[in-house]
Amino acid sequence: QKEVEQNSGPLSVPEGAIASLNCTYSDRGSQSFFWYRQYSGKSPELIMFIYSNGDKEDGRFTAQLNKASQYVSLLIRDSQPSDSATYLCAVKSRNTGRRALTFGSGTRLQVQP
Amino acid sequence: ETGVTQTPRHLVMGMTNKKSLKCEQHLGHNAMYWYKQSAKKPLELMFVYNFKEQTENNSVPSRFSPECPNSSHLFLHLHTLQPEDSALYLCASSQDWGERETQYFGPGTRLLVL
């Protein structure tokens, strides 16, 4: 079982719709959860992070965390063609000796004009 | 320069060459990382440095040799690489804020080994 799992996609949504990206993780001791956006040929760019159960909103983005279900999601409202990218879910362990993130393989989002 | 910078941005090398990748962070962070990103694979952690000390080595072959002379600079020395080492090499840095600790990435070095 992969430590961080994401559907590779592509997830195709029309412009203006809500895009929903999902991620599950295997380590119950995970502490923090991150969403990065990566355009083709570019490096990952942080969108937001969440570490408490529930929702966290930042502009058009909402991260949702359910630790009991080991599930984290990212909602993108009013999707734009410029949101077309690969979205990487990353998880940080509670182990204070381990600061690196574990990444999923990413979900490719396509927003159709 | 701001954030995390990496040089060179592109590198083509033969299997017998020796080259080095450089990373510099201007964020005052105390940890730096090397990741490898191959096509259609997740980001793979290679090395972690915390206050210049290597704290993680993710079973990386010895043909990759990291160096961290201070908290702001990180190098990856390359020698006798294989074609399968062709990938995007990403540097990142972070500051220890516990659960809020967030990694910021440099632009990456696109490496092609012939």
Side-chain angles (χ1 to χ4, degrees):
Chain A
Q1 182 189 8
K2 293 180 187 175
E3 292 184 63
V4 180
E5 294 216 43
Q6 297 180 257
N7 188 321
S8 62
L11 172 66
S12 187
V13 300
E15 185 174 354
I18 296 175
S20 178
L21 303 159
N22 304 316
C23 172
T24 58
Y25 58 94
S26 60
D27 181 6
R28 283 201 170 272
S30 299
Q31 178 183 43
S32 314
F33 308 85
F34 302 82
W35 284 100
Y36 286 85
R37 176 175 62 199
Q38 188 173 25
Y39 292 112
S40 180
K42 302 294 186 183
S43 65
E45 171 194 9
L46 179 71
I47 296 176
M48 61 193 307
F49 67 91
I50 186 169
Y51 53 86
S52 299
N53 274 327
D55 295 0
K56 179 181 178 183
E57 188 175 314
D58 184 0
R60 294 186 297 115
F61 300 98
T62 299
Q64 299 175 318
L65 175 61
N66 184 326
K67 289 186 178 179
S69 300
Q70 295 176 242
Y71 175 94
V72 57
S73 65
L74 179 70
L75 302 178
I76 306 175
R77 289 182 299 281
D78 188 24
S79 296
Q80 301 297 309
S82 58
D83 294 326
S84 298
T86 296
Y87 288 79
L88 303 175
C89 173
V91 174
K92 182 174 186 289
S93 169
R94 190 178 298 276
N95 179 351
T96 55
R98 184 156 208 277
R99 296 174 65 177
L101 300 178
T102 302
F103 283 83
S105 53
T107 297
R108 191 157 63 94
L109 173 66
Q110 293 178 339
V111 180
Q112 308 293 338
Chain B
E1 291 267 26
T2 57
V4 183
T5 58
Q6 290 186 244
T7 55
R9 297 292 304 278
H10 301 273
L11 179 62
V12 179
M13 59 187 289
M15 289 191 284
T16 58
N17 291 159
K18 288 185 181 181
K19 296 286 184 184
S20 295
L21 310 185
K22 179 183 175 182
C23 175
E24 184 173 358
Q25 60 95 1
H26 309 267
L27 300 168
H29 289 169
N30 59 16
M32 297 186 77
Y33 311 77
W34 280 117
Y35 287 89
K36 174 185 177 183
Q37 189 174 37
S38 305
K40 304 197 176 173
K41 285 177 135 184
L43 273 163
E44 300 172 57
L45 177 70
M46 300 177 73
F47 302 103
V48 182
Y49 278 82
N50 185 6
F51 288 109
K52 305 187 300 178
E53 300 298 320
Q54 188 180 123
T55 55
E56 289 192 53
N57 175 338
N58 202 25
S59 302
V60 179
S62 60
R63 57 186 184 268
F64 295 92
S65 174
E67 178 190 359
C68 188
N70 55 60
S71 295
S72 299
H73 294 86
L74 185 64
F75 296 89
L76 188 62
H77 303 299
L78 316 172
H79 62 99
T80 59
L81 294 193
Q82 305 298 309
E84 60 265 29
D85 296 322
S86 299
L88 179 67
Y89 288 85
L90 290 159
C91 175
S93 71
S94 69
Q95 180 63 29
D96 188 0
W97 290 111
E99 59 196 1
R100 294 184 178 83
E101 181 170 6
T102 303
Q103 290 183 21
Y104 295 91
F105 285 86
T109 295
R110 177 75 60 187
L111 173 66
L112 177 62
V113 181
L114 299 176

